[in-house]
Amino acid sequence: MQKHLSNNINFQKLKDLKLSDIKAMSADLKHIHLAWHEWFFLILAGVVVIGGIVWLCLPKPVEPDYPVVEVETVETDNVNIYGEYVGRVNAHQFVEVRARVEGYLEKMLFDEGTYVEKGQTLFIIDPLLYKANVESAKARLNKAKAQALKAERDLNRIKPLYEENAASQLDLDNAVAAYETSHADVVIGEADLTQAEMVLGYTSVKSPISGYISERNVDIGTLVGPGGKSLLATVVKTDTVRIDFSMTALDYLRSKERNVNIGRKDSTRNWDSYVTVTLADGTEYPYKGIVDFADPQVDPQTGTFSVRAEMPNDQRELLPGQFTRVKMLLDVRENAVVAPSRSLEIEKGGAFIYVVRPDSIVERRYVEIGPEIGNNTVIERGLATGEKIVVEGFHKLNPGMKVKPVVLANDSTGK
């Protein structure tokens, strides 16, 4: 009964509340409702943050440890193929100055080792005997001319007499014979004089070419000529020299396989075979020589054939007779595929290279190799331009393995 009485009292209090009081209480209740929503979102944000921290603290999955290899992009290039040989420098012209007539050497009109011009007088041989021969030939010629003149006059007198039957046929024949003989003697006399003058000219020994002359081989007063020493000196033309060397028959066959004719100019090529030589101090001579001759036959004793190139030598840096190392351009391989020699592996089955595919998988590629030029090797078959090959680290690889390729710094085509 007390409980009932209490409820009545509470109800009575609610009845006594004013409308304004009820609105105020409603506003307070609404404020309390919004505060709970804020607490909900705050708790939710805290759960998200804690979950993120826990996710970050979880251990990351371990990536596979792929081998790191250095790669290079395959390119094409014009490759010069050279051969190296032992050569000898020879003068373009080497002429021996000899005495053509016998006599005592009277004068030497040059300085040994200097440059002499063609036609310059070098030696004088005693000319007295040969001058006498010239004078004697002149006298015989004059005598022959006088006899020829007399014979001509006799013939001119006999002809009218013969026509008038005042002279016999025999007289006419003798006159004609005398005329023809005397004119023949004149021709012989002229030839003898020419020969005598020519022999006299040989007493003045002249240089046959322009070049540098050696030291004299005889002294003044020495008997020279056919009965004595004939070699007086030598003249060498060295502004152009010849480089002579030998090539093997195998070199010849290889050049023919590439349609290269050594020693011949070919208008279908944009290059010609040339040689360079090494000086005594190990430096390379700055000029090149064009190969202009190759012996058409092989020496059966050595299995080689001779090749020659001409080279300018204005400064006389190359001396005739010296040996030198010759480097000759044998061929030019245009647009050849080249690869670093260090990327090649050689085994019984052949040579192979590791190629990295676009998916970073390596494959063992067998290739046909050509000549080795410097640090690179020509690849005849097996590689294509733009492929990437392993140049470092391939010793730890197996075919089908995935790798981590690193492009070399000097490989500008790598991506």
Side-chain angles (χ1 to χ4, degrees):
M1 185 170 178
Q2 291 180 353
K3 183 177 180 181
H4 180 70
L5 182 60
S6 177
N7 290 335
N8 290 334
I9 294 172
N10 292 333
F11 181 75
Q12 186 64 34
K13 290 180 178 180
L14 290 173
K15 286 179 65 179
D16 295 337
L17 291 174
K18 296 179 179 180
L19 180 60
S20 61
D21 295 334
I22 294 173
K23 289 182 178 180
M25 291 175 63
S26 175
D28 292 338
L29 290 173
K30 186 176 180 181
H31 177 71
I32 294 172
H33 179 72
L34 290 175
W36 279 106
H37 275 79
E38 291 177 354
W39 278 106
F40 174 76
F41 285 111
L42 182 62
I43 293 172
L44 181 62
V47 172
V48 172
V49 171
I50 293 173
I53 294 174
V54 172
W55 182 80
L56 291 174
C57 293
L58 291 175
K60 296 182 179 179
V62 180
E63 295 183 0
D65 187 14
Y66 297 129
V68 178
V69 294
E70 292 184 354
V71 298
E72 187 172 314
T73 304
V74 178
E75 297 179 344
T76 59
D77 195 5
N78 294 339
V79 179
N80 294 342
I81 299 176
Y82 296 93
E84 292 192 359
Y85 312 92
V86 176
R88 186 173 181 177
V89 180
N90 290 316
H92 185 263
Q93 284 184 290
F94 183 89
V95 179
E96 295 179 340
V97 180
R98 294 181 176 272
R100 303 179 68 175
V101 294
E102 186 176 61
Y104 289 98
L105 194 64
E106 282 193 344
K107 296 179 181 179
M108 184 183 74
L109 305 177
F110 66 92
D111 293 328
E112 297 169 311
T114 60
Y115 188 84
V116 295
E117 298 288 346
K118 181 179 180 179
Q120 178 180 335
T121 301
L122 305 177
F123 298 94
I124 298 295
I125 300 173
D126 183 8
L128 293 179
L129 175 63
Y130 303 102
K131 286 181 178 179
N133 292 337
V134 170
E135 295 300 325
S136 176
K138 287 181 179 179
R140 290 194 299 270
L141 177 59
N142 292 332
K143 180 181 178 180
K145 287 181 177 180
Q147 291 177 347
L149 182 59
K150 178 182 180 300
E152 183 177 3
R153 291 171 180 173
D154 292 342
L155 179 60
N156 291 334
R157 287 194 302 268
I158 294 295
K159 282 184 178 179
L161 296 174
Y162 174 75
E163 292 174 355
E164 296 175 358
N165 293 322
S168 64
Q169 181 68 42
L170 179 61
D171 294 334
L172 179 61
D173 292 342
N174 288 337
V176 171
Y179 173 78
E180 292 178 350
T181 301
S182 62
H183 276 75
D185 290 339
V186 170
V187 174
I188 293 174
E190 290 175 345
D192 290 341
L193 177 60
T194 301
Q195 184 177 6
E197 291 176 340
M198 184 174 60
V199 173
L200 176 62
Y202 292 157
T203 61
S204 178
V205 182
K206 302 179 183 298
S207 176
I209 62 171
S210 298
Y212 288 87
I213 191 166
S214 68
E215 63 178 350
R216 66 180 187 272
N217 290 343
V218 294
D219 294 324
I220 303 301
T222 304
L223 179 65
V224 297
K229 293 183 178 179
S230 62
L231 181 60
L232 306 181
T234 55
V235 179
V236 181
K237 182 178 176 62
T238 57
D239 54 350
T240 301
V241 294
R242 298 186 314 177
I243 309 298
D244 295 320
F245 57 98
S246 297
M247 298 180 63
T248 64
L250 181 59
D251 291 330
Y252 176 78
L253 292 176
R254 288 176 176 173
S255 66
K256 294 299 291 183
E257 289 176 357
R258 296 285 300 164
N259 294 322
V260 177
N261 295 316
I262 298 174
R264 299 180 186 176
K265 290 187 177 182
D266 191 347
S267 59
T268 62
R269 300 194 311 259
N270 55 7
W271 60 274
D272 288 315
S273 295
Y274 66 84
V275 300
T276 57
V277 299
T278 303
L279 300 176
D281 59 359
T283 61
E284 186 175 286
Y285 188 61
Y287 299 103
K288 298 177 181 178
I290 300 299
V291 178
D292 62 353
F293 171 77
D295 199 321
Q297 60 183 359
V298 174
D299 187 344
Q301 296 182 350
T302 62
T304 61
F305 63 98
S306 300
V307 182
R308 183 185 68 201
E310 286 194 2
M311 186 170 292
N313 188 36
D314 294 334
Q315 303 300 320
R316 297 187 66 203
E317 295 183 72
L318 301 175
L319 298 178
Q322 74 179 110
F323 288 93
T324 184
R325 189 167 70 250
V326 179
K327 185 178 180 181
M328 176 181 173
L329 177 64
L330 296 175
D331 191 12
V332 177
R333 303 288 295 275
E334 297 179 352
N335 297 323
V337 176
V338 295
S341 300
R342 58 196 176 108
S343 65
L344 287 165
E345 281 284 302
I346 309 296
E347 60 179 18
K348 287 185 177 180
F352 66 86
I353 293 179
Y354 280 105
V355 179
V356 180
R357 300 189 322 214
D359 58 359
S360 298
I361 301 296
V362 295
E363 64 176 74
R364 180 182 292 180
R365 183 82 58 81
Y366 282 91
V367 294
E368 180 181 342
I369 61 176
E372 184 174 356
I373 311 298
N375 296 325
N376 295 326
T377 300
V378 176
I379 306 300
E380 304 287 0
R381 295 181 182 84
L383 280 183
T385 306
E387 290 188 303
K388 295 187 181 299
I389 58 175
V390 179
V391 295
E392 285 290 344
F394 53 81
H395 298 290
K396 53 189 175 184
L397 300 180
N398 289 316
M401 180 183 294
K402 192 169 186 178
V403 297
K404 184 178 180 182
V406 176
V407 180
L408 289 176
N410 59 357
D411 184 10
S412 59
T413 62
K415 296 180 180 180

